[in-house]
Amino acid sequence: MKLTVIGQWGGYPKAGEASTGYLLQHDGFKLLIDCGSGVLSHLQHHVEATELDAVLLSHYHPDHVADLGVLQHALLIQYFLGKNKGTLPVYAHREDPRGYDTITYKDLMEAHEYKEDTSLSIGPFTVTFVKAKHPVPCYGMRIEADGKSLFYTADSAFKESFVPFGKDADVLLCECNFYGEMDASNAGHMTSLDAGNLAQKTNAGKLILTHLPHFGELGQLVTEAKTIYSGEVLLAKKDMEVDI
C-alpha cells in the first residue's frame, strides 16, 4: 500500500494547503480517505478526480467533507467532456442523515453505508471500523491489504478500545490537534502524548501525526510523542508518501 498525504490540517487549511485528505493506493486501486477543504485541488497533483475508485469518509465535519460537493462537480464536468468512467462509490455512516443524504449525486456518486460492526471489501482493501470519541458521530478505521495494515484514528480523544483495534498496525495515522499537557479530551481530540501512548500500546510500526494545530511549533509534537513511543514518528506534510 502507498499512502499519500493530500491534506493534514485540522479545522481549516493553511494557505496553499488542505485540511484532511489521504490517498491510499494498492494494486492500481485508488481510495480517497476524507475529502476536506482544498483536497480536490491538491489531489490532482497525484491523480485526476475521475481516476478515483472509491471514497471513504470518517464523519461530516467540513474539514473532512468540504470538497465532496466540489468532487461531484468535477465528476459532472468530466462526464460532459466524456472522461468520467462511471459512478463513484462513497462509504460513510448514516448517523448524520443530512450529511449522508448529500453524498449520492445523479449517476455520478453513490452513498454506501458502513457500521461499526461491519467489515467492508473496497477493492483490494479490507476495512473495519471503531467508534471515535468526538462531538459528532465519527469512526476510526483499520485498512488492510496483503498482510499490511493502516490504522487511521480520524478525529477522536484517546480511547482504550483503540488499543486492541489498532494492535500491531504497520502505520498509525493519528490525529494530534493539541500539545503535550493540554486538555484535548473535551474537544474530542488527542495530544501528542496521547498519540505517543496509543502508538506504544498498539505496538505500531510507525506513527504519523496529522490533523495538525494552527498554533505552536509543530516539531514539538514529534518531540513529545517520542517521550512515550519508541518507534519512528513523522509529522504529516502535504504530498508526503509512505510505503506500507
Side-chain angles (χ1 to χ4, degrees):
M1 295 190 288
K2 183 174 80 170
L3 175 70
T4 303
V5 176
I6 306 300
Q8 75 280 10
W9 294 102
Y12 65 96
K14 188 176 180 179
E17 300 195 15
S19 60
T20 307
Y22 313 96
L23 178 65
L24 189 63
Q25 301 178 78
H26 187 66
D27 287 348
F29 194 93
K30 300 173 179 63
L31 173 66
L32 179 64
I33 305 170
D34 282 337
C35 191
S37 179
V39 164
L40 186 60
S41 174
H42 293 284
L43 176 69
Q44 293 171 89
H45 292 297
H46 303 276
V47 300
E48 295 297 329
T50 53
E51 294 180 299
L52 290 175
D53 294 292
V55 178
L56 183 56
L57 302 178
S58 62
H59 66 299
Y60 300 99
H61 272 160
D63 55 332
H64 292 254
V65 298
D67 266 16
L68 194 64
V70 181
L71 176 57
Q72 292 170 344
H73 285 183
L75 297 177
L76 179 62
I77 291 168
Q78 292 303 310
Y79 170 79
F80 286 125
L81 294 175
K83 299 178 181 179
N84 193 338
K85 66 180 182 181
T87 304
L88 179 66
V90 178
Y91 298 87
H93 68 74
R94 201 191 288 263
E95 294 174 47
D96 178 346
R98 179 179 293 182
Y100 187 83
D101 289 345
T102 65
I103 295 172
T104 297
Y105 180 71
K106 300 183 183 294
D107 293 326
L108 302 172
M109 184 181 287
E110 183 177 8
H112 297 265
E113 182 183 9
Y114 67 70
K115 297 181 180 179
E116 184 174 17
D117 58 354
T118 59
S119 176
L120 294 182
S121 293
I122 305 176
F125 304 113
T126 299
V127 188
T128 50
F129 302 92
V130 62
K131 190 70 176 284
K133 183 181 178 183
H134 200 54
V136 301
C138 178
Y139 286 87
M141 52 199 70
R142 184 178 181 123
I143 305 174
E144 300 178 281
D146 286 346
K148 299 294 184 179
S149 56
L150 166 71
F151 175 21
Y152 168 48
T153 64
D155 288 10
S156 182
F158 180 87
K159 291 186 70 178
E160 284 294 338
S161 60
F162 282 179
V163 177
F165 182 84
K167 194 67 176 176
D168 297 325
D170 293 284
V171 171
L172 171 59
L173 182 61
C174 187
E175 81 115 271
C176 185
N177 209 219
F178 288 81
Y179 291 85
E181 299 298 334
M182 297 177 72
D183 181 7
S185 60
N186 290 334
H189 290 290
M190 278 190 259
T191 68
S192 53
L193 297 180
D194 290 328
N197 186 34
L198 181 59
Q200 189 67 19
K201 284 188 170 184
T202 56
N203 190 40
K206 183 180 299 182
L207 171 61
I208 303 176
L209 303 177
T210 193
H211 201 269
L212 302 175
H214 289 270
F215 59 93
E217 173 50 55
L218 296 180
Q220 181 182 334
L221 299 171
V222 174
T223 299
E224 291 171 343
K226 283 183 175 180
T227 64
I228 299 177
Y229 174 58
S230 56
E232 183 180 9
V233 182
L234 300 174
L235 200 64
K237 296 180 181 178
K238 182 172 71 72
D239 300 325
M240 172 190 284
E241 294 184 351
V242 177
D243 290 322
I244 303 174

